[in-house]
Amino acid sequence: MKQGLGTQLRHLIELLDGAVQQAYADAGLDYRPRYTPVMRVLAQQQSTTIGQLAELAGITQPAVTQTVALMKKEGLLLVAVGGEDGRQRVVRLSSQGEALLPHLQMCWQATKRAADSLDAELAFPLSTCLAQAITILEQRSFGERIRDASKKVAATP
């Protein structure tokens, strides 16, 4: 039986994230892969708001908010009130987060090389396919596609 798209994607994420998580453990790091988009942005910028972080990391604001809360709890980030009305949260690396960066950057380089080797073995690069799928879904969402397909299914006797 052929697996559905969602099942295939979840399995792919399990295969990728599991290996990356193990690489961090092998390097002696207690670190989750989901922290990487936040860490990468903060490695480039001293501080940023939650909204800017979401935009720069390319993930949703709720995902950033949850990830930042976890990272703050683990002592990797400092979060302060900012903005004129005090509703914004400004995020920056803690000293613990800054100390972790050089170790993470080595892991990220190894992960990049591994991803490049995977792309090289595929008929077409996975990274290119994913970027294209994201771009297309940003233009017309999967939800819209499902609604359109549902109309056609309901109209078919």
Side-chain angles (χ1 to χ4, degrees), residues 17-152:
D17 265 3
V20 172
Q21 181 69 51
Q22 186 61 51
Y24 290 133
D26 291 347
L29 303 176
D30 183 20
Y31 180 82
R32 297 183 188 189
R34 77 177 280 175
Y35 297 168
T36 299
V38 171
M39 289 295 283
R40 283 185 177 274
V41 170
L42 292 173
Q44 300 297 314
Q45 298 204 48
Q46 187 175 4
S47 66
T48 186
T49 66
I50 295 286
Q52 292 167 333
L53 193 49
E55 184 179 328
L56 294 169
I59 53 180
T60 66
Q61 192 160 334
V64 168
T65 300
Q66 290 177 343
T67 301
V68 164
L70 289 170
M71 294 175 74
K72 179 182 176 190
K73 186 177 178 181
E74 292 189 21
L76 299 173
L77 300 179
L78 299 172
V79 181
V81 174
E84 292 179 15
D85 61 6
R87 290 188 301 171
Q88 290 185 327
R89 299 291 177 257
V90 179
V91 181
R92 68 181 178 90
L93 292 175
S94 67
S95 57
Q96 181 182 338
E98 288 176 5
L100 190 58
L101 264 180
H103 305 285
L104 291 175
Q105 288 168 334
M106 288 181 11
C107 289
W108 296 339
Q109 287 175 2
T111 302
K112 170 79 167 88
R113 287 181 183 211
D116 290 346
S117 76
L118 174 61
D119 275 352
E121 291 182 37
L122 295 170
F124 49 90
L126 180 60
S127 58
T128 302
C129 181
L130 292 173
Q132 184 179 12
I134 290 166
T135 299
I136 289 170
L137 288 171
E138 287 174 344
Q139 294 169 1
R140 182 170 169 242
S141 75
F142 200 60
E144 184 179 337
R145 292 165 191 273
I146 292 171
R147 287 188 293 279
D148 289 348
S150 294
K151 291 174 191 172
K152 292 176 183 171

Side-chain angles (χ1 to χ4, degrees), residues 1-12 14-15:
M1 180 169 94
K2 183 180 178 194
Q3 295 177 332
L5 180 61
T7 302
Q8 290 176 313
L9 289 171
R10 277 187 286 283
H11 185 62
L12 178 62
E14 288 170 4
L15 293 172

